[in-house]
Amino acid sequence: MIPISPMVLLLLGKILTVTEIKAPIRIDGRLEEIWYKADSVSDFIQFHPYLGESPGVRTVVRALQDDENLYFGIRCYGQPTVCLSGNEDFVLVAIDPFGSRTTAYYFRVYASGCFEDGWILDDGMSMDDSWDGVWYRGVKILPDRFEVEIKIPFKAIRYRSGLDEWGVQFKRYVASTKEEDYWTKVEELHEYQVSRFGILSGVRPLATGYHFEIYPEGYVRVDRFYGERDRIKPSGSLNLRWDLTPQTTLTGTFYPDFAQIESDPFELNLTRYPTHFKERRPFFLEGKEIFRFSDFGRGFFQPVEIYYSRRIGRLIEGEPVPIIGGMKLTSKSPLVDLGLLGAYTDSLQIEPRRFFGVGRTRFKIFRNSSLGLLLSGMRRDGSDYNYAFGFDGVYRHGSNQFIIDQAISDRNGKTDLATTGGYYGMNGRLLSLAAFETIGDSFDVSEIGYLPWPGRKKFLAYSGPFLQFRRGLLKYLYSGPAVIIKKNPGEERWCRLLGCTISPILRNNTGGDLSYYYGPYFEADTEYTYRNLNLSIWTNQGNTHLSIWSNYTHVYNYRRNFLANQAGLGLFFRQSIIPPLSLELKSHLWFEWDPDQKLIETTSLIRPKLKFVLNATTSLSIFNESVLTTPEHEWKETELYSNRLGLLFAWNLRPKSWFYIALNDYHSKEDRYQISAVKLKYLIYF
């Protein structure tokens, strides 16, 4: 190993050098003799509960590589907690193989052998668990420690060709003490900040050829509508992925079945805007980090979303529009990211055949900042189309981020502009965030994106001290004022709200948030005084997690078209009963009053769920979601709005290969049906 001077170490940060080996090693969790030839690091720093102090237990990490794989061996001293369904020890490895200082893969391995993977985005501001990669892991439990081996094939990830220094971060969680340790020092609000990663030196992928994946899917679905004959719907699809280079990937799908194994959750929407649902379909998840505008991941900022993948193959009366085929090309390089996507959908009921296209370019500047362009469009024929062209820029410096987005839309010849921007940062002990948006009255991306509030203009700002306490019960405390100025669509006058927030976090993983907003408000041709009070409390105590939240708002009710009070009360509870079995309970109450302050209806959601984890790759979940409505205070007249009983058996038989058995039994006052499904996704790669 080449010696490195202390001055270079100071300038570059922490370094772990990869040691080359000639042949692959067996991944079983046991660190054999070959591991002791590798460079190692053990200088972890505590993040929780006492920031910056030495860890209570020792962790040693080593790195190896052969021609085709990157390996990590991690020895975790101290007796581990192992629990398939609850709080247990884990290690996490994150790598930035492009030197982007903004984006990284992460690989998490629990002491039980369970695992997770995904993306770290926006320099740690956002996390995305939708990436499903090909990698291998092994865990060995010993009396005084546990050991983890991780194998990552170079062909399974994208990396910058010729770059021999990758960003890397290691994390260890100790369940018995709830201690969290990182290899490099991280900040309180930015624990996954990619720009603070250490260096993995000497990485030299030598694999030749192309990584090619064939991903067939087989699906049999049985629909049983009471009073009708059963409908049996067998189907098959083919998905392809071809890594043309380590930076460039071509993917395709032909007659895919995008039926959802898990349905979207019930949500009572009292606003004027449609609910935004998360993407779950594999073809659209691949490379989706390229097609998105930057975000802060904190909820106060809304990017100009001119590409919303759930518009493609959208649901019409519960049925997805069939997708005949789709192709996607993505490429990442040191200076620019590129993406092209095309999809063609079939007709369904009143929905005609349509073509969708998306193009994306993002240029990297100033180490970890970027400028980008995005073009999206839908076309049915010459007279029915929807196009949008947008620009986004993000500047990052330390803990500070600035974002600006702008786009122009064209819906059948009618055009308009939309602009949004925001800031998030820490300056000393002062935490500040701000956002603005101005959406043109005719801005319309309803067929390709999600920005359903044309004509809205808004500015908000929060700022206050973020205090940290080295010792004692209280760990963090944020408090500060807020200002929101907004003009709603169709209104001439501006709403002006003042608010305040206080958020304490205790050292025992308990926290809360209290906020209040007040001021003149104008919407739906109505002038009134807006009032909003929010209170939430949460705690995470090992195998028990509990969250309770409540809100009261005096606001316009778009479901009933009048101004009145609304309130909500929610609860989430999760408990590991025995190591393989956990109970999860979600409950939500919505209260609606009329303008005379009379309670007119209460809507209740109760969703218990049992999850039995057979082993690291196999699980069985059973849930029941009941939605009830109660008129006024007449609890004896409570009626069932809907009930959905679900069962899901999932077996991850090999990387990216899944076998599912699913059952959904749904009934309401108007309808009742059962859907049973068996699905197999099997990856063939070479």
Side-chain angles (χ1 to χ4, degrees):
M1 183 175 64
I2 300 174
I4 301 175
S5 71
M7 181 58 68
V8 173
L9 285 172
L10 180 64
L11 293 174
L12 297 180
K14 293 185 175 182
I15 296 177
L16 173 63
T17 301
V18 179
T19 300
E20 294 186 27
I21 56 177
K22 298 299 183 182
I25 61 176
R26 181 182 178 185
I27 302 300
D28 57 8
R30 186 181 295 275
L31 302 184
E32 293 92 351
E33 183 179 351
I34 193 171
W35 282 104
Y36 299 103
K37 300 178 182 179
D39 186 21
S40 67
V41 295
S42 59
D43 50 341
F44 280 64
I45 303 170
Q46 191 174 149
F47 174 73
H48 179 82
Y50 299 107
L51 180 68
E53 297 195 2
S54 299
V57 289
R58 188 165 181 256
T59 307
V60 182
V61 182
R62 292 178 167 87
L64 299 170
Q65 77 157 82
D66 57 30
D67 289 355
E68 298 186 352
N69 306 286
L70 178 64
Y71 303 91
F72 293 98
I74 307 170
R75 173 166 288 173
C76 302
Y77 289 93
Q79 187 174 10
T81 299
V82 182
C83 182
L84 282 165
S85 66
N87 184 46
E88 63 172 329
D89 287 46
F90 70 77
V91 295
L92 179 143
V93 175
I95 56 173
D96 174 14
F98 277 89
S100 67
R101 298 174 61 85
T102 61
T103 305
Y105 297 95
Y106 73 82
F107 308 85
R108 191 193 317 263
V109 182
Y110 293 87
S112 64
C114 294
F115 58 93
E116 298 168 351
D117 53 21
W119 285 101
I120 301 172
L121 304 170
D122 302 317
D123 197 15
M125 300 291 280
S126 306
M127 302 284 286
D128 185 348
D129 62 359
S130 61
W131 181 73
D132 187 13
V134 176
W135 59 290
Y136 306 88
R137 62 254 130 217
V139 179
K140 183 69 175 178
I141 304 296
L142 298 168
D144 63 337
R145 65 185 186 274
F146 74 103
E147 298 178 345
V148 178
E149 287 182 309
I150 295 175
K151 171 184 172 181
I152 306 170
F154 289 119
K155 289 183 178 181
I157 60 173
R158 296 184 184 183
Y159 57 88
R160 176 179 166 186
S161 183
L163 180 68
D164 63 356
E165 291 186 345
W166 294 5
V168 69
Q169 178 67 290
F170 307 111
K171 176 182 179 180
R172 179 181 176 186
Y173 172 70
V174 184
S176 60
T177 60
K178 303 182 184 66
E179 180 177 310
E180 299 176 38
D181 303 326
Y182 284 85
W183 180 42
T184 67
K185 186 177 180 180
V186 297
E187 296 184 352
E188 296 77 8
L189 299 177
H190 306 279
E191 59 177 301
Y192 292 108
Q193 194 169 6
V194 181
S195 57
R196 290 180 175 268
F197 279 15
I199 295 175
L200 186 66
S201 178
V203 187
R204 297 180 180 86
L206 299 176
T208 58
Y210 306 117
H211 179 69
F212 193 82
E213 293 184 0
I214 302 175
Y215 203 19
E217 296 182 2
Y219 186 82
V220 178
R221 171 173 162 170
V222 179
D223 294 353
R224 173 173 294 176
F225 291 85
Y226 288 83
E228 303 180 19
R229 293 185 61 183
D230 292 354
R231 306 174 191 172
I232 302 176
K233 301 178 180 179
S235 65
S237 64
L238 181 64
N239 299 282
L240 304 173
R241 169 177 165 160
W242 185 13
D243 287 343
L244 305 174
T245 71
Q247 296 92 3
T248 305
T249 298
L250 178 67
T251 57
T253 185
F254 303 95
Y255 291 96
D257 188 292
F258 286 151
Q260 293 304 300
I261 292 296
E262 293 189 78
S263 301
D264 293 319
F266 174 85
E267 185 73 28
L268 183 64
N269 189 346
L270 303 180
T271 73
R272 67 194 297 178
Y273 305 120
T275 303
H276 187 284
F277 290 110
K278 185 178 179 181
E279 181 59 81
R280 300 175 182 177
R281 301 170 296 178
F283 174 74
F284 295 104
L285 293 176
E286 182 69 40
K288 78 171 190 177
E289 76 282 357
I290 292 178
F291 292 94
R292 60 188 291 276
F293 277 178
S294 296
D295 196 358
F296 296 106
R298 298 295 191 270
F300 70 94
F301 171 75
Q302 174 67 47
V304 179
E305 193 171 358
I306 61 174
Y307 167 56
Y308 177 40
S309 59
R310 289 196 58 153
R311 299 294 187 205
I312 306 174
R314 62 183 177 178
L315 293 176
I316 296 181
E317 296 182 1
E319 285 292 320
V321 174
I323 299 178
I324 297 173
M327 295 289 288
K328 178 162 50 178
L329 178 71
T330 55
S331 180
K332 297 171 71 72
S333 72
L335 298 178
V336 63
D337 295 339
L338 298 171
L340 293 171
L341 182 150
Y344 190 59
T345 61
D346 207 345
S347 57
L348 177 69
Q349 300 179 24
I350 61 172
E351 178 88 354
R353 289 191 172 191
R354 297 171 185 251
F355 173 77
F356 294 83
V358 186
R360 172 67 160 155
T361 303
R362 182 170 57 204
F363 300 93
K364 301 169 187 176
I365 59 174
F366 305 135
R367 300 183 70 186
N368 66 339
S369 302
S370 65
L371 296 172
L373 302 172
L374 178 64
L375 173 66
S376 62
M378 178 284 302
R379 190 176 189 88
R380 185 188 69 171
D381 54 40
S383 60
D384 186 11
Y385 58 87
N386 193 183
Y387 301 136
F389 178 73
F391 154 87
D392 73 312
V394 55
Y395 174 72
R396 301 182 178 96
H397 179 72
S399 301
N400 298 280
Q401 292 198 28
F402 302 84
I403 294 177
I404 182 74
D405 302 338
Q406 188 170 60
I408 182 172
S409 71
D410 184 346
R411 180 72 172 108
N412 296 336
K414 184 180 290 187
T415 64
D416 215 329
L417 288 170
T419 305
T420 65
Y423 165 76
Y424 181 96
M426 284 280 291
N427 293 282
R429 295 183 177 180
L430 187 67
L431 172 63
S432 302
L433 55 91
F436 75 90
E437 66 179 37
T438 173
I439 314 299
D441 293 338
S442 299
F443 188 84
D444 186 353
V445 289
S446 57
E447 299 294 329
I448 51 175
Y450 182 88
L451 202 68
W453 36 79
R456 193 172 79 175
K457 296 172 175 59
K458 183 178 179 181
F459 170 80
L460 62 85
Y462 300 78
S463 186
F466 181 81
L467 305 178
Q468 308 162 39
F469 302 89
R470 294 288 183 181
R471 294 287 174 179
L473 179 64
L474 187 61
K475 186 178 182 183
Y476 304 130
L477 177 64
Y478 170 78
S479 60
V483 176
I484 301 175
I485 302 173
K486 181 168 70 170
K487 185 164 78 169
N488 285 309
E491 299 292 333
E492 296 297 327
R493 291 174 291 182
W494 289 80
C495 312
R496 300 179 303 278
L497 305 180
L498 294 177
C500 59
T501 299
I502 181 168
S503 301
I505 298 178
L506 307 184
R507 207 169 299 276
N508 66 349
N509 283 337
T510 300
D513 181 86
L514 175 64
S515 62
Y516 182 72
Y517 300 91
Y518 179 90
Y521 211 83
F522 308 94
E523 64 176 329
D525 296 322
T526 304
E527 176 182 352
Y528 63 96
T529 300
Y530 177 91
R531 300 185 296 273
N532 173 254
L533 177 67
N534 297 282
L535 173 65
S536 63
I537 301 172
W538 57 267
T539 184
N540 188 356
Q541 300 300 319
N543 289 325
T544 302
H545 180 84
L546 175 65
S547 298
I548 301 173
W549 63 94
S550 61
N551 64 78
Y552 156 80
T553 311
H554 184 68
V555 70
Y556 197 85
N557 186 329
Y558 282 89
R559 183 186 180 207
R560 303 184 184 275
N561 294 317
F562 55 62
L563 173 67
N565 293 332
Q566 303 172 17
L569 178 64
L571 177 144
F572 176 83
F573 172 78
R574 189 178 188 277
Q575 174 71 49
S576 175
I577 302 172
I578 56 176
L581 182 64
S582 64
L583 169 66
E584 184 179 293
L585 175 64
K586 180 180 179 181
S587 178
H588 203 147
L589 297 174
W590 292 270
F591 303 94
E592 298 176 77
W593 285 267
D594 66 12
D596 297 324
Q597 309 303 318
K598 180 181 179 182
L599 181 66
I600 56 174
E601 187 173 84
T602 301
T603 303
S604 311
L605 178 145
I606 304 172
R607 192 179 194 269
K609 177 181 177 181
L610 284 172
K611 185 173 183 179
F612 186 62
V613 183
L614 302 171
N615 53 48
T617 59
T618 311
S619 66
L620 174 67
S621 300
I622 302 173
F623 73 90
N624 189 83
E625 181 181 87
S626 298
V627 181
L628 309 169
T629 58
T630 304
E632 301 179 350
H633 297 278
E634 303 298 330
W635 294 98
K636 293 182 179 180
E637 298 182 18
T638 298
E639 293 184 346
L640 180 69
Y641 177 82
S642 67
N643 190 85
R644 183 157 55 97
L645 174 66
L647 177 148
L648 175 62
F649 172 79
W651 175 29
N652 183 202
L653 56 157
R654 55 175 294 172
K656 293 183 71 172
S657 299
W658 291 86
F659 175 71
Y660 297 104
I661 299 175
L663 170 66
N664 270 278
D665 182 286
Y666 176 88
H667 69 272
S668 64
K669 292 187 295 184
E670 294 82 18
D671 200 6
R672 183 170 186 180
Y673 59 83
Q674 287 183 347
I675 298 177
S676 306
V678 177
K679 188 169 187 175
L680 175 64
K681 303 192 297 183
Y682 193 82
L683 174 66
I684 304 169
Y685 65 96
F686 47 89

